Amino acid sequence: MTKVLVLHSVSLVRSALAALLRSEGSFDVTSAGWRTAARQAESLRPDVAVVDLDCPGSAAVLGADGRGGRQVLAPPTPVLVLASADTPGSLRRAFQAEVLGCVDKDGSPGRLVRAVRKVASGQRFIDASLASAFMESDPVPLSPRELSVLARAAEGDSIAEIARALHLASGTVRNYMAAATRKTGARNRIDAIRISRQAGWV
């Protein structure tokens, strides 16, 4: 059986996704929130992880540590993301993280099932609607490190917590935050987070 790990911060949503995949009969499905994701991934060794790009916390799976690595899942874990065509910034982040699959959330459940099977077998699956939205999107103006700092700030981390997590000095974190605020044309850090979330960058 194909082992699938569904990751989402909202219990009801991940339970619904897991139930949909279990109904196919050929999937061994486990669902988890972000706090237990690493432990579940370690014990399950999934064939594919399904992640909602719009879900707070997804940045950790897509390499928001600023060093191109994944904080939650070991890099060999194939990742399939659920995405919307109207958030091209998130799509760009997913493509940069080299996820194997992208499924349009406006598509049918059958497409999700097909995508899980393809990604689990090591094949790429990209919905045409998402590929088109990605090609039409503007490049993200922030560097990977600025994105990683902003993503952690968006999760509520303090400057000191971000510095510890990313192995940076607090002053360096402030500099990255100031650069992100300037590049997004924001008034302050909260505004920078709002703009970046609307664009789908964090």
Side-chain angles (χ1 to χ4, degrees), residues 55-125:
C55 173
S58 67
V61 176
L62 301 180
D65 59 358
R67 296 186 293 277
R70 293 182 185 149
Q71 295 170 306
V72 173
L73 305 178
T77 304
V79 175
L80 170 67
V81 296
L82 309 177
S84 298
D86 59 357
T87 56
S90 292
L91 289 173
R92 185 170 292 277
R93 188 159 39 96
F95 280 108
Q96 288 171 341
E98 299 179 355
V99 301
L100 267 185
C102 293
V103 176
D104 194 331
K105 289 199 284 191
D106 287 328
S108 68
R111 284 195 71 73
L112 172 61
V113 170
R114 284 195 298 278
V116 168
R117 289 197 174 114
K118 288 197 83 167
V119 170
S121 66
Q123 300 177 62
R124 186 171 289 280
F125 183 99

Side-chain angles (χ1 to χ4, degrees), residues 4-49:
V4 182
L5 177 60
V6 175
L7 299 175
H8 203 288
S9 62
V10 180
S11 177
L12 186 61
V13 174
R14 67 177 178 260
S15 296
L17 284 170
L20 167 68
L21 292 172
R22 281 191 196 106
S23 70
E24 291 302 306
S26 59
F27 298 133
D28 176 13
V29 186
T30 303
S31 63
W34 299 116
R35 291 185 184 194
T36 61
R39 190 165 58 249
Q40 292 281 8
E42 180 84 20
S43 62
L44 180 65
R45 299 286 179 183
D47 297 306
V48 58

